[in-house]
């Protein structure tokens, strides 16, 4: 049963990733695109975790943690660049 | 693995997946940037928390020791999600992105952009 | 503000405990070697970083803080279902709006915590703080009764935070 559930949930996440990609492509403003990127990395963390659950490996946790940290830093760096024109003042 | 554990893990996985999908649907569907902020920052965070709880239960059972290091990701996301939402809202205000026409109190958005206090007679929150 | 504690070797006691717990969580173990390593790290890192500490009010009532975070988690879970329904439902019915909330809380830490709580609880996102730190601008997804929303934010989230931090 668990295998089927994992398959269904990964299908849901793939649909979510495509929706994010769509917003990233059409998003009328830069802020929309940053928001789409932000959501994209959270969804990719979910996909990696799901693969970790499926294969039973513990290494995927580290990858997910790294993506979470890098994603937050890049989101705030992009926002700061747009707000101030500089990242490190 | 006993059936009841499989059931609980499946329910958490499904709830997490549904919330992730709802967050992304909101991102694609909602009409303007300010409303779009609502769906991804919160629904996706909760969805990921659901997946993490499922993974925690499963790995705790498989390794027969308590495995709670997934809590770290959930904690990190719960701390960072409001910060990034706030920064994106700031960039949207900074770029003077138009809000939806039927948005109420649009004058407050103009005041927020300049970081002023709202007009003096409007002390609505004050007791 | 002076350092809140008189400990010489633990200039930041909360950070030390946090570092210790996070190190053990990251390695997902309770082995003696890792506990020893975590002890060394949680003593030396705050000692090196003590000069960078910014002043913030001490937490007055830790148990109220625990209760507050549990309440916020419950609110996040229950209210997320409502927002999910609104996102799936018809768009034409949405009545978004901005509101401004007068802040009684004055410390930076308190304002940050309140803004984060408001952002995490569905239906509201905090957008900006006025220059004098007296007003918090919030965008609401569905604004029906402005005064009721302001009152609920002040009653439910700001009052316990004021009690926890004292200012």
């Amino acid at each position: 049963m668990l295998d089927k559930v994992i398959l269904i949930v990964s299908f849901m996440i793939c649909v979510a990733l495509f929706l994010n990609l769509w917003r990233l492509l059409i998003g009328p403003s830069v802020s929309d695109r940053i928001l789409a990127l932000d959501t994209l990395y959270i969804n990719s963390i979910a996909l990696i975790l799901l693969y970790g659950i499926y294969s039973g490996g513990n290494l995927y946790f580290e990858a997910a943690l790294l993506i979470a940290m890098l994603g937050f830093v890049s989101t705030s760096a992009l926002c700061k660049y747009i707000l101030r024109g500089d990242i490190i003042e | 693995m006993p059936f009841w554990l499989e059931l609980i893990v499946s329910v958490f996985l499904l709830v997490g997946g549904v919330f992730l999908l709802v967050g992304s649907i909101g991102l694609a569907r909602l009409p303007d940037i300010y409303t779009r902020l609502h769906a991804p920052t919160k629904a996706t965070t909760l969805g990921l928390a659901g997946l993490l709880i499922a993974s925690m239960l499963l790995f705790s059972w498989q390794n027969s020791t308590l495995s709670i290091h997934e809590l770290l990701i959930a904690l990190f996301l719960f701390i960072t999600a409001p910060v990034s939402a706030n920064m994106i809202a700031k960039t949207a205000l900074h770029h003077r992105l138009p809000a939806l026409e039927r948005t109420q109190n649009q004058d407050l958005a103009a005041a927020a952009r300049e970081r002023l206090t709202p007009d003096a007679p409007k002390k609505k929150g004050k007791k | 503000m002076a350092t809140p504690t008189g400990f010489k070797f633990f200039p930041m006691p909360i950070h030390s405990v946090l570092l210790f717990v996070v190190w053990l969580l990251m390695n997902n173990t309770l082995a003696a070697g890792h506990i020893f390593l975590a002890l060394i790290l949680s003593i030396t890192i705050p000692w090196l970083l003590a000069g960078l500490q910014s002043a913030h009010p001490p937490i007055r009532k830790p148990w109220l803080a625990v209760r507050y975070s549990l309440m916020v988690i419950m609110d996040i879970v229950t209210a997320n279902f409502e927002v999910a329904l609104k996102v799936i439902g018809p768009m034409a019915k949405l009545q978004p709006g901005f509101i401004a909330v007068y802040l009684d809380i004055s410390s930076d830490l308190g304002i940050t915590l309140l803004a984060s709580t408001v952002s995490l609880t569905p239906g509201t996102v905090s957008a900006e703080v006025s220059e004098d730190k007296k007003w918090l601008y919030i965008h609401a997804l569905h604004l029906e009764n402005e005064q009721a929303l302001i009152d609920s934010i002040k009653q439910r989230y700001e009052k316990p935070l004021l009690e926890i931090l004292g200012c």
Side-chain angles (χ1 to χ4, degrees):
Chain A
M1 183 173 86
L2 202 58
D3 289 356
K4 277 177 195 148
V5 170
I6 286 174
L7 206 65
I8 294 168
V9 175
S10 51
F11 177 73
M12 282 178 186
I13 294 172
C14 285
V15 173
L17 282 169
F18 272 110
L19 287 170
N20 295 344
L21 204 61
W22 189 58
R23 178 53 72 191
L24 187 66
L25 289 175
I26 64 158
S29 66
V30 187
S31 309
D32 285 293
R33 297 206 162 99
I34 297 176
L35 186 61
L37 275 177
D38 194 73
T39 322
L40 204 66
Y41 91 75
I42 293 182
N43 279 327
S44 58
I45 293 173
L47 204 58
I48 287 178
L49 274 172
L50 214 59
Y51 189 64
I53 292 173
Y54 179 69
S55 65
N58 221 345
L59 204 64
Y60 296 99
F61 162 76
E62 322 269 336
L65 193 60
L66 272 177
I67 292 182
M69 290 184 168
L70 283 178
F72 169 63
V73 170
S74 51
T75 305
S76 38
L78 272 172
C79 287
K80 197 123 192 248
Y81 180 69
I82 286 166
L83 276 175
R84 302 281 171 87
D86 209 346
I87 295 170
I88 302 166
E89 288 167 30
Chain B
M1 195 188 299
F3 179 74
W4 57 271
L5 186 71
E6 212 172 326
L7 196 69
I8 294 173
V9 170
S10 307
V11 166
F12 271 115
L13 279 178
L14 276 176
V15 169
V18 165
F19 270 112
L20 282 166
L21 190 57
V22 163
S24 301
I25 289 173
L27 179 71
R29 217 182 144 215
L30 286 163
D32 72 339
I33 173 72
Y34 302 101
T35 49
R36 239 171 258 153
L37 263 178
H38 288 272
T41 50
K42 286 164 292 210
T44 39
T45 313
L46 194 70
L48 204 55
L51 286 190
L52 288 164
I53 290 170
S55 144
M56 233 158 78
L57 289 172
L58 199 68
F59 280 114
S60 294
W61 172 263
Q62 277 180 356
N63 305 340
S64 60
T65 51
L66 200 59
S67 166
I68 50 170
H69 63 339
E70 284 89 350
L71 269 184
L72 218 56
I73 298 181
L75 196 69
F76 186 78
L77 278 174
F78 270 103
I79 294 171
T80 57
V83 178
S84 43
N86 184 264
M87 291 198 80
I88 294 169
K90 271 188 182 196
T91 59
L93 282 173
H94 181 77
H95 278 204
R96 296 164 189 271
L97 293 181
L100 204 63
E101 253 175 47
R102 58 172 184 271
T103 304
Q104 299 160 52
N105 299 329
Q106 295 218 19
D107 49 326
L108 284 179
R113 182 179 305 130
E114 309 295 332
R115 305 190 68 197
L116 301 169
T117 55
D119 300 336
K122 272 183 109 180
K123 301 263 183 198
K124 278 184 176 158
K126 200 163 189 177
K127 289 276 153 66
Chain C
M1 195 185 292
T3 41
T5 49
F7 306 122
K8 202 175 173 187
F9 292 103
F10 295 101
M12 302 141 111
I14 298 173
H15 295 74
S16 293
V17 174
L18 212 65
L19 269 172
F20 185 78
V21 172
V22 165
W23 180 264
L24 290 183
L25 271 181
M26 225 159 76
N27 289 296
N28 207 13
T29 172
L30 273 176
H34 273 297
I35 291 178
F36 182 65
L37 203 56
L39 266 179
I40 291 177
L41 287 175
S42 61
I43 290 171
T44 49
I45 291 177
W47 186 67
L48 287 171
L49 295 182
L52 295 173
Q53 193 179 19
S54 55
H56 62 79
I59 292 171
R60 297 262 173 90
K61 295 175 178 167
W63 284 115
L64 197 65
V66 172
R67 240 184 61 194
Y68 176 75
S69 30
L70 285 180
M71 186 193 84
V72 168
I73 289 173
M74 282 307 294
D75 277 11
I76 291 170
V77 174
T78 52
N80 246 315
F81 283 96
E82 285 172 33
V83 167
L85 285 181
K86 281 198 193 103
V87 166
I88 302 291
M91 288 291 119
K93 270 191 185 170
L94 280 184
Q95 289 290 334
F98 286 94
I99 56 169
V101 177
Y102 185 81
L103 293 171
D104 288 318
I105 208 162
S106 60
S107 64
D108 284 352
L109 180 67
I111 295 174
T112 313
L113 283 176
L114 182 65
S116 298
T117 315
V118 165
S119 285
L120 270 179
T121 46
T124 46
V125 166
S126 52
E128 187 67 279
V129 181
S130 69
E131 198 109 48
D132 54 1
K133 293 178 184 167
K134 284 270 187 284
W135 293 85
L136 181 66
Y137 294 98
I138 294 171
H139 182 269
L141 184 59
H142 188 70
L143 189 59
E144 271 175 349
N145 188 344
E146 197 178 335
Q147 195 59 47
L149 183 61
I150 291 171
D151 287 346
S152 82
I153 286 171
K154 287 191 83 70
Q155 280 296 318
R156 210 170 158 74
Y157 304 119
E158 194 179 11
K159 235 174 101 188
L161 274 177
L162 260 175
E163 273 182 53
I164 292 166
L165 295 172
C167 68

